[in-house]
Amino acid sequence: MLAATAGLTALHGLSAAVQYLLVDGPSDVAVMAYVISPLTAAVAIAAVVMVLRPSTGHWCRHAEGSE
């Protein structure tokens, strides 16, 4: 669930920047389109990578058994 949500967030961040370029959006939101959206996408991609690592699965299984 986390990987899917982060993947969708990454796609949304990248598509917001592309949409801004295609429609030549207003200059007052340029910082959001060129900085915030790609940064959000980068953090979401990092989350996907970390969630899908085998060590994360091992850690989650270990945490379930220790309760």
Side-chain angles (χ1 to χ4, degrees):
M1 183 169 42
L2 288 172
T5 303
L8 289 173
T9 302
L11 287 174
H12 175 50
L14 293 174
S15 71
V18 171
Q19 289 173 23
Y20 180 82
L21 287 172
L22 290 176
V23 298
D24 196 30
S27 61
D28 57 344
V29 294
V31 171
M32 185 177 74
Y34 293 130
V35 178
I36 304 298
S37 292
L39 262 173
T40 302
V43 170
I45 290 169
V48 169
V49 169
M50 298 311 278
V51 165
L52 294 178
R53 291 182 51 92
S55 59
T56 304
H58 295 304
W59 180 80
C60 290
R61 281 189 295 281
H62 176 72
E64 281 180 2
S66 63
E67 289 182 10

